[in-house]
Amino acid sequence: MAQFQENARVTRIEELGGENYRITVDCPQICKVSHPGQFVMVRTGRGQDPLLRRPFSIHQTSAQGEMQLYFKVVGRGTDILSHVRKGEILSIFGPLGKGFRLVKDKPAVMVGGGLGIAPLLYLGKELCRLKIAMEGDTIILGARNREELAPLVKDFQQFGFNLFTATDDGSLGHHGFVTEVLAVVDIPAESVVYCCGPEPMMAAVAKFCHSQGLTCQVSVESVMACGMGACLGCSRPAKNGIYTHVCLNGPVYNAEELVWNI
Ligand code: FES
């Protein structure tokens, strides 16, 4: 699969609340070959500081070659990135990893929590482009509160899926977890569930899907130093008894392939 290193110009920076940001960059080569669920490695600073690139899932691409990254400030790299200015150049490498396997002829259920919502916008867009909308197509989004979730909800409304929200404090949608919503919404038996979020959330979704006989794909997060299979920093146990490298074999897996430690 083709990969590119591009010097991408920042064209837009959005502060979305709750220390969440979305930046838009011009990187047409990467956009052209990328797929929902894949990620890019971004050099967030200048020179050697910070030394390592940071992984970001691809939030959205456009036909014009613009890519969006959605992130929360959680450390030095993301803090630097949150302060980039329009017109600055970022070195971006990708696309990397294996993304979601899009199933065109079955109802889709997307479940995202927190930053795990990031890759689902790209996924929803591609599912809409490829498949015939079906009764039962559903999106369930969760976050800590309205401030974090509301700016993203309108982006997901464009798909026409049944849309549900959940927040930890009850300020938008269901007061509680996305898994509680998943358990009560009407989902056709042949649905494919696409999930990304915190590990306990994905473990609960995987368990629910297993109990219902639903196919479930999960996009897992991992610490990544190289993003290319060279450092072993992203390894995690798989059901077959060997370790899988999230950057090469993931980040998207069938939920049944992984060991869930929750
Ligand atoms: Fe280095 Fe996966 S991040 S091997």
Side-chain angles (χ1 to χ4, degrees):
M1 186 210 308
Q3 288 158 344
F4 300 94
Q5 181 171 315
E6 287 194 80
N7 290 323
R9 186 172 299 281
V10 176
T11 58
R12 192 174 179 202
I13 305 126
E14 298 166 84
E15 192 173 348
L16 297 181
E19 295 201 305
N20 294 329
Y21 290 81
R22 179 159 61 188
I23 61 170
T24 306
V25 294
D26 255 329
C27 52
Q29 289 177 301
I30 297 175
C31 285
K32 206 169 180 180
V33 297
S34 65
H35 182 81
Q38 289 189 293
F39 66 97
V40 292
M41 297 293 283
V42 180
R43 190 176 297 289
T44 55
R46 296 170 192 274
Q48 302 297 305
D49 182 30
L51 184 60
L52 300 174
R53 290 174 183 266
R54 299 287 199 270
F56 294 89
S57 59
I58 301 171
H59 181 50
Q60 185 167 215
T61 64
S62 75
Q64 293 71 40
E66 285 187 319
M67 174 182 289
Q68 288 188 325
L69 306 174
Y70 173 71
F71 62 95
K72 179 183 281 295
V73 176
V74 291
R76 179 154 169 69
T78 44
D79 183 45
I80 293 171
L81 199 57
S82 71
H83 289 92
V84 293
R85 302 226 172 114
K86 195 171 164 183
E88 274 188 48
I89 301 293
L90 293 174
S91 173
I92 301 186
F93 182 67
L96 295 161
K98 294 196 172 75
F100 291 103
R101 290 164 295 286
L102 277 56
V103 182
K104 289 188 261 185
D105 55 356
K106 293 191 174 164
V109 178
M110 300 195 296
V111 185
L115 280 184
I117 293 172
L120 299 188
L121 191 60
Y122 189 11
L123 173 66
K125 203 170 172 180
E126 280 302 288
L127 283 172
C128 269
R129 192 176 65 81
L130 291 173
K131 78 193 281 288
I132 302 162
M134 293 182 188
E135 205 174 318
D137 283 344
T138 298
I139 302 173
I140 307 171
L141 303 176
R144 289 188 303 183
N145 51 46
R146 170 184 286 273
E147 187 189 12
E148 286 189 354
L149 193 52
L152 295 175
V153 167
K154 65 179 185 309
D155 292 325
F156 283 88
Q157 284 169 334
Q158 63 181 302
F159 305 132
F161 287 20
N162 305 314
L163 178 62
F164 301 90
T165 55
T167 46
D168 294 350
D169 65 359
S171 53
L172 185 64
H174 172 71
H175 186 173
F177 299 133
V178 289
T179 44
E180 293 160 357
V181 179
L182 180 64
V184 296
V185 293
D186 207 7
I187 292 171
E190 69 278 18
S191 298
V192 176
V193 176
Y194 305 89
C195 178
C196 187
E199 189 84 2
M201 184 204 103
M202 288 197 292
V205 171
K207 189 175 170 189
F208 172 80
C209 291
H210 181 75
S211 72
Q212 301 296 309
L214 297 169
T215 303
C216 179
Q217 298 180 31
V218 292
S219 177
V220 302
E221 267 196 33
S222 176
V223 173
M224 288 188 195
C226 72
M228 301 176 66
C231 72
L232 310 185
C234 65
S235 60
R236 67 174 283 163
K239 274 241 177 84
N240 58 10
I242 59 172
Y243 277 78
T244 179
H245 294 136
V246 174
C247 67
L248 283 183
N249 309 119
V252 177
Y253 295 86
N254 284 325
E256 303 278 348
E257 288 178 70
L258 299 175
V259 174
W260 298 101
N261 294 318
I262 308 298

